[in-house]
Amino acid sequence: SGLLGAYNFLDVTNEIGFTAAITDESFRGRDNGGQNSNTQNFNINSNSGYVFGVWASNYGAIGMANRIIAAAETLERSEDPDLYDHVVGQAYAIRAFSHFQILTFFSTDYTNDSALAGILLTEPTSDIFADVPRATNGEFYDQITSDLNTAASLINGTDTDTSGVKFMGQDFITALRARMAAYRGQYAAADGFAAS
């Protein structure tokens, strides 16, 4: 149930809407009544619904993934080790993906490990007023890589397990590694992941 809750936060509607409004991927129709006109100045600011949605959905997924990972430490793995590993592995994959989404929308320079990204959260917290500083891209990339390594070692199934519903599997992990390498400007590594 917790895993499905984490997946529920992975709604990329805001990312699609923002990208469509601010890039040349779509064109406003003749009968447009002003929708998305506030994004035409090419600024991402805190009062944008898209920005809030990207932030809230990804940190919601990170929060659920952190709770799953923490709760797993209190459970007996021996009851169903394959299911246990698969669920925990997907939680790590969700956390990696969501941290990467935050980095892609809020970093100032993907190729600079010293540039600031977002807030790196790896523990469950109930303090919504906690003062947590922004982490650097390098810290984000290290955490994402660590989470993907853990996920790869735990996920034991295909991306279409559970009656055809899509879940994160080994192909997802490889694709995210390729995308991350491309954003970092590490094109040879990106090509290697994309070819595998």
Side-chain angles (χ1 to χ4, degrees):
S1 294
L3 182 63
L4 294 178
Y7 272 109
N8 191 49
F9 280 103
L10 296 182
D11 177 4
V12 293
T13 303
N14 289 295
E15 288 90 332
I16 293 168
F18 178 77
T19 303
I22 202 167
T23 67
D24 61 357
E25 290 188 16
S26 65
F27 183 78
R28 277 197 262 171
R30 288 179 296 210
D31 296 331
N32 181 283
Q35 297 90 338
N36 294 317
S37 60
N38 64 335
T39 60
Q40 296 306 312
N41 60 5
F42 301 99
N43 288 327
I44 301 175
N45 55 54
S46 59
N47 66 356
S48 164
Y50 290 131
V51 173
F52 175 80
V54 169
W55 187 270
S57 65
N58 283 292
Y59 278 113
I62 290 167
M64 286 299 296
N66 284 339
R67 286 175 179 83
I68 293 165
I69 293 165
E73 294 173 5
T74 68
L75 300 175
E76 285 293 328
R77 183 179 176 271
S78 60
E79 190 171 313
D80 190 346
D82 289 340
L83 179 61
Y84 179 98
D85 289 350
H86 198 59
V87 169
V88 174
Q90 288 181 61
Y92 277 101
I94 288 170
R95 187 168 76 180
F97 172 74
S98 296
H99 274 129
F100 186 69
Q101 288 292 91
I102 291 293
L103 182 145
T104 61
F105 276 87
F106 297 100
S107 174
T108 56
D109 180 358
Y110 306 137
T111 61
N112 180 355
D113 281 354
S114 298
L116 293 177
I119 298 170
L120 194 59
L121 297 177
T122 58
E123 299 289 330
T125 180
S126 58
D127 183 3
I128 62 171
F129 299 107
D131 187 14
V132 181
R134 288 175 69 183
T136 65
N137 286 348
E139 293 168 317
F140 260 68
Y141 288 133
D142 288 346
Q143 184 62 51
I144 292 166
T145 300
S146 174
D147 284 350
L148 290 177
N149 290 341
T150 302
S153 71
L154 293 172
I155 291 176
N156 50 43
T158 67
D159 295 351
T160 57
D161 279 350
T162 314
S163 303
V165 176
K166 299 292 183 185
F167 287 93
M168 294 178 180
Q170 298 297 337
D171 289 341
F172 170 84
I173 292 167
T174 302
L176 186 55
R177 289 183 199 276
R179 186 172 170 217
M180 187 168 67
Y183 274 57
R184 296 184 83 174
Q186 299 170 347
Y187 301 117
D191 184 51
F193 286 125
S196 63

